[in-house]
Amino acid sequence: MPSHLKALVIILAVALPVFWMASVAWPATVRPEIRRWRWAFLLVTILSFVTPSIWIYAVAMPAVVAAFLASDGDRAERAAILWALLLMAVPNVGAYIPGVGSISNFFEMTHSRALSFALLVPAMVMMPKKGPRRPGLLGVGTDWFVLAYFAVQIAVMAPYASTTDLIRQAFVLSIDTLLPYWVFSRAFSRPEALSGAMRAYVLVALILSVLAMFESVRRWPLYDAVSVHWGIDWDMIVFLERAGFLRAKASAGHSLMLGCVLLLAWGWWGIVRTELKSKAWVWLGTLGLIAGLAASLARGSWLGAAFLTVVMLALGRAPVKHLLLLAVGGVFFLGIAAVVPGLGFVIDMLPFVGNVDSENVEYRQRLLEISLSLIRQSPWLGVPGYLNYMEELRQGQGIIDIVNSYLAVALTTGVVGVFCFVGILGSMMIGLWSVRRNKDVPPEGRHIATCLIATTLGLMFTLVTTSSIVVVLQLTYMLAGLGVSCTRLYRPERQTLHPAAGLVAVRQQQ
């Protein structure tokens, strides 16, 4: 059997039991939806492994997902949920669409872009017109920061790019950032659909966690088979180890990206786990996500997940009690690891404390020093050609890895760009904070807002340690959109609590 089909068998052997357990763990009301998700995930996964090229996949995949939008209901909501479900079903491999005449190529077609064309573009078209719960363009404060950052990115490219290239870059950037943000901030008309999107994402993350453990134990990156089968020389196919262990990556392309993927799932797990019927399922899902994070060996995501957990406990009920329990549990675990033979590697793996891959810390420190010196010379709109001044950081793979998203933003778009980028998530959290503090909001709304704030802060923390490549950018804008949706769906001044129908949007009486 070809290696890519062997990998497919392993993935399906993991996915099917996880979907079955999910259908048992969640209430009967959501089981039909989970079954539809199962078929969508399986069909798209199989399609990616059996099609001989990305072009056949990019044409066939929209036809497959369109079948799941044919039934009645809010198709825009369903399309957004399917996008959240399928984004990590296939690695974000890409190939350039050949151009004509003087145009060498149009743009790089990747899995995420094909998925956006198949789901998010129709969702934007099918979305109902603006109303009390669907503000128009620039109707939300976060909109201004999203568009401002987009404009800054285009503006810094304009002096050095041809008109054709500038149009291409603006188009690609809008598909990767503006489109996910717009759909996820406007598509949902019901709180249940908002939770459904996060439930779908977490379900796939649980599958990836199990696959990550398999990759780490068997030292077999399963999803690399997709790009090899398609004949694409993907620069993410790198066999990375840490202390003799394979750094699992599943469909994320890199262990750092897998860490970011599972970090968001860890935060949203705090929302969807309240729906489960038994604490046993809660513990099983919790252990699964922890094991997936551990298998990624992405230490920045470990710290981000720890920070996220601390924030969530600090903003939750009985914060002092839960934080003390967390601290005692952490100290107890580290104490056991320090004295039990064979567990000393756990401490060695920890950043700043252990001695494994200490040269990575030194690289990041040197990256920070060089980047700050360059930013001081051109602080406002970035440093043109900054890579030319960073040759001493070039690694054995022939790349200069800017493993700090904020430094990458500052070097590319300057302080102005950093302000806009941070403002996207910061302004979104301001709205969530108002929802969390308002006693007129039902408890589930305040809980969702709390978890989204913690998740956002955890991601912002983790971005200090990773690049915004592969799908990290799309995930960031999806998170921003979900935060805006939570605010507008639970915003008290636009809603009233109806005893029979739940939250119903009403216009304010003048």
Side-chain angles (χ1 to χ4, degrees), residues 135-198:
L137 182 64
L138 300 179
V140 178
T142 307
D143 294 356
W144 291 87
F145 286 100
V146 169
L147 290 178
Y149 185 49
F150 176 84
V152 170
Q153 289 175 286
I154 299 303
V156 297
M157 287 189 285
Y160 312 99
S162 64
T163 302
T164 303
D165 189 48
L166 196 63
I167 294 172
R168 179 192 300 115
Q169 295 298 331
F171 174 75
V172 168
L173 195 60
S174 64
I175 295 298
D176 289 345
T177 61
L178 299 185
L179 187 58
Y181 168 75
W182 179 259
V183 172
F184 279 90
S185 65
R186 288 349 192 251
F188 304 112
S189 59
R190 301 169 297 122
E192 296 81 8
L194 178 68
S195 299
M198 291 182 278

Side-chain angles (χ1 to χ4, degrees), residues 247-265:
R247 297 179 62 177
K249 56 185 179 179
S251 63
H254 194 284
S255 60
L256 293 179
M257 276 67 259
L258 177 62
C260 287
V261 168
L262 297 182
L263 174 80
L264 290 186

Side-chain angles (χ1 to χ4, degrees), residues 404-411 418 421-422 459-461 463-464 466:
N404 184 319
S405 293
Y406 300 106
L407 288 181
V409 172
L411 289 166
V418 172
F421 178 74
V422 174
L459 178 64
M460 294 178 73
F461 184 97
L463 289 179
V464 177
T466 189

